[in-house]
Every structure is written in structure tokens, then in C-alpha cells.
Amino acid sequence: MHNFNITGLEPAAKELKSASSYAVLAPLDNFVVEFALHAINQNCANDIYIVSQDVESFFESSFSAAINTAYKRSKVHPFSLSSETQHYSIERINKGIIKEIGAYKKLKNALVFIHFNTELLSAATEASTKKIMNDYSEFAKKTGVTLLFLLSGPEVTHYRFLIRQLNKSFDGLIFVDNDSATRVLEYDYWHHTTGVFADMQFQLSLEDNQFLVQEGTVNDLKVFNGSHFPDEDDVWLVQSAVPIGTKLPTHYYTAKDNNELFDKGPKLKAATLVFAVTRYTDLALLGKQCFELRKSCGRWLKLVVQNVDGVIRHQDECLFLTLGVNLILYSFSEPSRLLSQIQSIQGFQFSRPLPSSVEHVLKYTENTFSKGYLPFDEFTRQVEVHSDSAVNLGVSGVLVKLELLPRIEPIHPLHLFHIKREGDVFSLADNTVYLYLHACRENDVNNAIKHLFKLQTSDFFVQQNVISDHFHIQQECKQLRRLYSGKQVTDYSKQLIENDSYKFEPGVSKGITESLDTPEFTNDARPDAVSFVMRLKA
């Protein structure tokens, strides 16, 4: 009998029976692959069969040690769907897979992974999809294999509802998602040797390339009525969060600054705390304070961030929400709107999973420090890293494809890209410039390009395509690497070496460090000035 090798997971939730089929769904390929690899144990004595459009991902993950060991022992049989099969109907592909694996002898107790993305099933009707699922279930029962049907893609939620209806065919359904930089397992239903359980969740953390269940799963959260707390109607806010002279209603109290408000937090249970962010606010410190309050005071405490100067960027917003903040406000000039928005969250508890630590979240921001031009292969791999970091932080990201006009030398438009933000990278292959914009929403793409490309894009590029879904971004990178594998792609790094505006400079200039305690960063010294003597003519 197989089982999931995840420390802390309940024995019934680990269990994978022979002659059974299970469905594992996730929005991204790596989510479903990484979880499936935990079904392979180091001492696995049974054969493993893998069918996937991207079978290499099973062997290249940081979780692939067990499967690589089994492969060396000739226990793994991988099958990759060729490019020709992309034109076949899903029904034909399905029959071919069952026929191919069924030709092997001694299938009993073998572990079988069938990995599709939702695009492959998109042309099939609902009735046809149900028949495909039933065919795999019958195949598992007939041969005695343990079959995991892995499905990933942007439309996976639709198939989740569909497979719920097939609970007589499938023995279990798991949805793997990422929330607040934490992997979450959602068991819709699960058959095991002692019965069936349904609607359970487990929050996972990562340690030594191995998933383990965090203490206090999502299901352990107790639900109370917020009205049981005497301070539920109390609102504490920093003075600068509202205009000077604003008359506040009853139960509203003020604090001098964010630090004073933070000190009052541990004494409260269900009150609302409104922090203010100006251009002088240390966002990292405020994020750590919000996380500490959320951890120590529980989920009924309301944490609100009032953006006074409009200096919170998209990635900062996502970091605050990941670290336990309920709401981020911008209506500084309208106190009445601030009051109504605060009222809208009173009586509710914070429901998102919390990461294990602030450092666990911040490590994803460190992955986005590279910027500017990159050689093409390095570019595709870096974009996957940036995209994965964006998913963990809940940040948007876009991949822009700019096709050059005929007879345009590629080096000229490349010189015109002046990248200033960490995480923004670009490269070129076959007269197409690939530009990844980290922490950028799809509707902000044109404005972002205007800031980093000095001339009109229409003067150099014939068309512009934008990919905004992280699943499609990662799929595009994998396909590009396969397409250009073994081919010569020109590297423009040396030609662009003088265009050093994209290089990351972690150091702080002397002029700034000399006056960090002043409201504005100024320096009266002029190191480049040369004094000279002036004399009047007689």
C-alpha cells in the first residue's frame, strides 16, 4: 500500500489504496507535481508509471530525490505526450494511454501518475470528460494499480466541481493551493480503510525539501461569535490616519504613532487597529508588527493600514495582506468613507492562513532582485522563479512579447530599455523581445512600458502580446526552452554592458547615510565642486 510521505498528516489522509484512483487538482503544474512526488517513498519496491505533457518536471524538482533513486533502479517508466498528440482528441489520447500502460505485466500495486493540464480537456464535453474519468477508475480497479489523476491549469476550479460528482468513481479528491506563502491541502472527500472523511484542510510548511503539516490546521480554527468580545466596537487609530480636526465618533480612540498603537495591541481581542503609512514609514517593520499582533492576539483582531501618501505599491499591499492585515485603505481625504469601510469588517475574523514566519515570506521578495537584460535560457528560468515568488505573495506579474518590425536591428531597441525595478527582466530570441514585469497588473502594462522604453513602441514593434496568468507564463517558459534547446540564441550582454541602469546596487550612497535621521535625505556637501579665487581688476 502506498501513502503520502508528509510528516504530521493524519494516517487516513496519507493512505493510498491499491486498485483505487485519486484526483489531485492545482492551479499550477509545480503545485500538483510537488505534492504527487510525496507519494513516492525512498524504499519503494513497486514500479512507477508517469504520463505527462511535461514529464521532465517530475525529475527536476527539489522534491525529486525519491523518484530519481527509483529511476536508477529501473523502477520508473516515464511517457511524454509528443507534439503530434496535441492535435488528437482527448478521447483518443486517453485510449492510447490506457492501452500503453495496460501492456505492461505485473501492474498490481504499481503507482501511476496521469498528468494533464486543463487546456487538453477544454475541447471535451462534460459527458466526455466524465467518461474519461470513469475509464481511468475502471482501469485502476481492473489492474490493481494506485492511480493519481493530476490536473492543473487556470480552469481547474471547474473540473473540481465536476469530479465532486464522480465520488463513486474516484476514491478521493484533493485541491492543492497556495495562500499567504503557505501550501494548503483541501480534501473534498477521501475513502480510507476505516471509512470516509470530507471537507478537511491541512496547512503545510517546507523543511529540508519535505512538506510537513503546521501545528493547528485550518480545520482546527474555532468559530466564535464576535459579539462575545467586549472591545469589538472599539477602533484605535494613529492620529495621522485622518485629517487634522476630524471629529471621531464614540468608541474611536487615537494613538500618537504606529509604535504606540502596536504597544496597545496585545491588550485587545477583537478591536480594530488603524495604522498610518507615510513616506517615512518603515514598511518592513510595520509588516512584522502586524504579523506579531496577528499571531499573538488571534484572528478576531482587525488590522487596517491607511495609506496616507499613496506610497504603498502592489507588492507591498500583497505583503501586508499575507502577514495578517485585513484591509488597506486609500480614502484619506474622506473620513466618512474610512469609517464605513472599518464598519464593514467589524464582526468578521481573519480567515486566511498565516505563514510560519515573516522571514518565510520575505525570502520570496529576495528572489526578485535580478533585473535588466538576461541571456535567453537564464531569462526563462528566472521568470519561472519570479512567477513562483509572485504566486506565493499573491502578486500579479505579466510576460509581454514584443515582435520586432522587419529590418530592425535588435540591439537598437534593446538599448532603449531602461529597467529600474527589481524583478523586471527582458531578453530576445527570433526577433521577439520577451519582457517580464514583476508586481504589475495587466491593465498597467502600457503605462509600465512607457516608463521603461524611451520611444514609441510602435516605431520598433509590430505587435504586443500579454500573458498574465501565472500558469500560462510558466508554460510559455518551458515551451520556449524546449523550442530553443540546442539552437544558437544571440547573447547581447556584452553590447549592453555600458547600459548599466538595470544593474542592482545594494549599497547606499554616502550622502544618504549621513542624514538618515532628517525628514528629507539632503546633503549640503558638493564633492565635485572646485573652489577658485576671484579678484577685481584695478
Side-chain angles (χ1 to χ4, degrees):
M1 181 183 293
H2 301 278
N3 59 73
F4 289 119
N5 184 24
I6 299 178
T7 305
L9 198 62
E10 293 185 9
K14 287 185 177 183
E15 187 178 300
L16 292 168
K17 300 184 294 183
S18 299
S20 302
S21 55
Y22 303 88
V24 182
L25 280 62
L28 293 179
D29 284 347
N30 62 308
F31 288 2
V32 72
V33 170
E34 290 170 359
F35 177 70
L37 289 173
H38 282 76
I40 303 172
N41 298 301
Q42 290 285 357
N43 57 352
C44 181
N46 305 108
D47 286 359
I48 302 167
Y49 299 85
I50 305 173
V51 181
S52 174
Q53 294 171 275
D54 185 24
V55 73
E56 293 85 359
S57 61
F58 285 82
F59 299 90
E60 297 173 350
S61 169
S62 58
F63 301 85
S64 301
I67 195 171
N68 286 327
T69 301
Y71 184 79
K72 292 176 182 177
R73 295 165 51 205
S74 301
K75 291 291 184 180
V76 182
H77 310 278
F79 301 89
S80 179
L81 298 181
S82 65
S83 57
E84 297 177 359
T85 59
Q86 304 294 329
H87 306 291
Y88 297 166
S89 67
I90 185 60
E91 293 84 1
R92 181 179 175 183
I93 295 173
N94 174 58
K95 290 180 180 178
I97 291 172
I98 293 177
K99 182 179 179 182
E100 179 69 27
I101 298 178
Y104 284 80
K105 298 179 180 179
K106 298 181 180 180
L107 284 174
K108 188 175 182 181
N109 297 325
L111 186 61
V112 179
F113 297 128
I114 308 294
H115 179 212
F116 289 158
N117 66 51
T118 55
E119 293 177 339
L120 197 61
L121 295 174
S122 59
T125 63
E126 186 172 310
S128 179
T129 303
K130 287 183 177 180
K131 185 179 184 305
I132 291 169
M133 306 294 183
N134 286 323
D135 287 344
Y136 282 120
S137 178
E138 291 297 323
F139 171 74
K141 293 176 182 177
K142 180 179 178 182
T143 58
V145 302
T146 300
L147 188 146
L148 268 68
F149 184 81
L150 313 177
L151 189 62
S152 56
E155 301 297 327
V156 73
T157 304
H158 165 72
Y159 292 97
R160 182 182 183 182
F161 288 107
L162 181 64
I163 296 176
R164 281 177 180 172
Q165 303 171 23
L166 301 174
N167 49 48
K168 292 184 179 180
S169 300
F170 280 96
D171 293 88
L173 170 60
I174 302 176
F175 188 80
V176 186
D177 204 357
N178 204 80
D179 197 351
S180 300
T182 303
R183 203 63 54 87
V184 178
L185 302 183
E186 300 179 9
Y187 283 71
D188 286 1
Y189 59 88
W190 198 257
H191 294 257
H192 51 93
T193 51
T194 57
V196 182
F197 67 78
D199 195 23
M200 287 193 68
Q201 293 183 337
F202 297 93
Q203 189 172 329
L204 305 181
S205 58
L206 181 62
E207 186 174 316
D208 296 329
N209 293 327
Q210 190 77 21
F211 283 135
L212 53 91
V213 178
Q214 289 187 10
E215 293 184 5
T217 65
V218 181
N219 285 97
D220 292 334
L221 302 176
K222 297 180 180 180
V223 179
F224 296 100
N225 188 343
S227 60
H228 290 172
F229 298 105
D231 61 350
E232 181 191 6
D233 296 327
D234 293 348
V235 178
W236 287 84
L237 59 123
V238 176
Q239 292 175 354
S240 58
V242 292
I244 298 174
T246 301
K247 187 175 181 180
L248 297 172
T250 310
H251 300 299
Y252 274 67
Y253 311 96
T254 59
K256 180 182 177 181
D257 52 29
N258 288 339
N259 291 330
E260 183 178 327
L261 187 60
F262 171 70
D263 293 336
K264 293 183 180 295
K267 305 171 186 176
L268 306 172
K269 291 295 183 182
T272 303
L273 305 184
V274 183
F275 294 92
V277 172
T278 67
R279 68 186 66 183
Y280 311 116
T281 302
D282 186 339
L283 297 182
L285 174 61
L286 180 57
K288 291 179 180 179
Q289 290 176 335
C290 291
F291 179 77
E292 290 177 16
L293 287 174
R294 178 62 66 205
K295 277 286 189 182
S296 60
C297 300
R299 295 181 175 271
W300 283 105
L301 190 72
K302 283 73 175 178
L303 300 177
V304 179
V305 173
Q306 171 68 65
N307 190 359
V308 176
D309 289 346
V311 294
I312 301 181
R313 300 176 65 179
H314 173 46
Q315 179 164 307
D316 300 325
E317 294 174 358
C318 296
L319 277 171
F320 278 127
L321 295 175
T322 300
L323 294 173
V325 172
N326 297 77
L327 185 65
I328 299 173
L329 301 175
Y330 290 84
S331 53
F332 175 71
S333 60
E334 301 178 23
S336 59
R337 182 165 295 177
L338 181 144
L339 301 182
S340 62
Q341 289 177 312
I342 289 176
Q343 185 179 2
S344 69
I345 65 172
Q346 289 179 323
F348 294 91
Q349 68 168 337
F350 183 82
S351 59
R352 294 188 297 274
L354 280 176
S356 55
S357 66
V358 177
E359 290 71 23
H360 175 69
V361 178
L362 294 181
K363 73 178 183 180
Y364 292 107
T365 63
E366 296 172 359
N367 293 334
T368 61
F369 279 158
S370 61
K371 63 177 180 178
Y373 177 84
L374 295 174
F376 191 70
D377 186 72
E378 183 182 347
F379 168 81
T380 58
R381 298 183 187 280
Q382 195 64 48
V383 168
E384 285 195 72
V385 172
H386 288 358
S387 177
D388 190 53
S389 296
V391 169
N392 282 280
L393 296 175
V395 177
S396 304
V398 293
L399 179 63
V400 185
K401 299 166 64 176
L402 299 164
E403 184 179 342
L404 284 168
L405 286 164
R407 295 184 296 279
I408 294 286
E409 286 293 330
I411 189 62
H412 299 313
L414 292 181
H415 269 301
L416 297 174
F417 282 98
H418 294 277
I419 305 295
K420 300 177 182 179
R421 301 190 316 156
E422 287 78 26
D424 292 352
V425 290
F426 68 97
S427 190
L428 182 138
D430 271 356
N431 286 332
T432 300
V433 174
Y434 295 86
L435 171 67
Y436 180 77
L437 300 173
H438 181 72
C440 178
R441 300 178 180 90
E442 184 176 3
N443 55 334
D444 295 330
V445 169
N446 291 332
N447 286 334
I449 292 178
K450 287 179 182 178
H451 283 89
L452 57 88
F453 193 77
K454 300 305 180 184
L455 299 178
Q456 293 291 328
T457 55
S458 58
D459 294 340
F460 294 89
F461 305 104
V462 65
Q463 66 176 358
Q464 171 181 310
N465 294 324
V466 179
I467 305 174
S468 59
D469 189 276
H470 287 291
F471 172 81
H472 289 126
I473 290 173
Q474 296 188 7
Q475 287 290 313
E476 182 74 14
C477 290
K478 293 173 184 175
Q479 291 173 7
L480 287 172
R481 277 204 301 276
R482 284 196 291 264
L483 178 64
Y484 290 101
S485 177
K487 296 182 180 179
Q488 186 68 29
V489 180
T490 306
D491 183 0
Y492 293 93
S493 299
K494 291 183 179 180
Q495 292 94 319
L496 295 172
I497 195 169
E498 72 279 5
N499 184 15
D500 60 356
S501 63
Y502 64 85
K503 292 182 180 178
F504 175 59
E505 296 291 346
V508 181
S509 67
K510 182 179 178 182
I512 291 178
T513 57
E514 287 178 350
S515 54
L516 279 175
D517 296 330
T518 61
E520 298 288 346
F521 296 156
T522 59
N523 184 10
D524 296 332
R526 294 183 58 198
D528 58 334
V530 178
S531 60
F532 60 93
V533 180
M534 296 181 63
R535 293 186 178 88
L536 293 174
K537 279 189 175 183

